[in-house]
Amino acid sequence: MADPGAGDSHERGMATRRAVLGDAHVDRSAASATPFDAAFQRHITARAWGDVWSDPQIDRRTRSLLTIALLAALGHHEELAMHVRATRNTGATPEDIREALMHVAVYGGVPAANRAFAIAKQTLAGMAAETTENGGDR
């Protein structure tokens, strides 16, 4: 199914996706695409990254925190860890993540926030270890 205008959205989305998630993540994702899921990969790159994440109405830090809160509340743990890692590129701090997860506790439920805090804590610790191993470089 052709998507008019998807070319521009896809190009914009790929640039935004790389800026937020990093080249290594995007390259791994592209390398693992198959004919079965290639259309889906194009769709999320154009729609999520090219349309939503690229819209200048909300800055990347805020968009990052909204995404973290939604993923936590909905129990999408693998995606949550990925977006916690992406905060190194979005400007969201560990304190910002904590506050977003406090909102999840109130509005999405304590069990969802409890699991999200554990995931964020583990992910942030891994990021800190990587930074230490790389001599302070990200």
Side-chain angles (χ1 to χ4, degrees):
M1 175 182 343
D3 187 355
D8 292 339
S9 290
H10 187 270
E11 290 171 24
R12 186 173 52 250
M14 190 56 78
T16 301
R17 190 176 183 189
R18 286 184 178 284
V20 172
L21 299 178
D23 288 333
H25 175 87
V26 176
D27 290 345
R28 279 191 309 274
S29 181
S32 69
T34 67
F36 179 74
D37 66 349
F40 175 70
Q41 289 297 320
R42 282 191 307 276
H43 174 74
I44 61 172
T45 299
R47 300 289 79 85
W49 296 103
D51 293 339
V52 176
W53 271 88
S54 296
D55 189 314
Q57 186 65 37
I58 299 175
D59 63 84
R60 285 190 183 158
R61 177 186 161 274
T62 303
R63 201 171 296 280
S64 178
L65 294 170
L66 287 168
T67 302
I68 286 169
L70 285 163
L71 292 171
L74 294 170
H76 298 299
H77 302 141
E78 185 175 312
E79 293 280 319
L80 173 61
M82 178 182 71
H83 278 277
V84 168
R85 284 189 297 276
T87 60
R88 63 174 50 152
N89 299 323
T90 66
T93 66
E95 294 77 16
D96 294 332
I97 295 168
R98 179 186 62 227
E99 291 305 314
L101 296 181
M102 292 299 289
H103 266 67
V104 171
V106 172
Y107 294 100
V110 170
N114 186 47
R115 181 70 180 120
F117 266 104
I119 291 166
K121 187 175 172 180
Q122 179 181 16
T123 304
L124 291 168
M127 291 166 61
E130 289 171 10
T131 301
T132 300
E133 290 171 9
N134 294 329
D137 294 337
R138 287 186 158 192

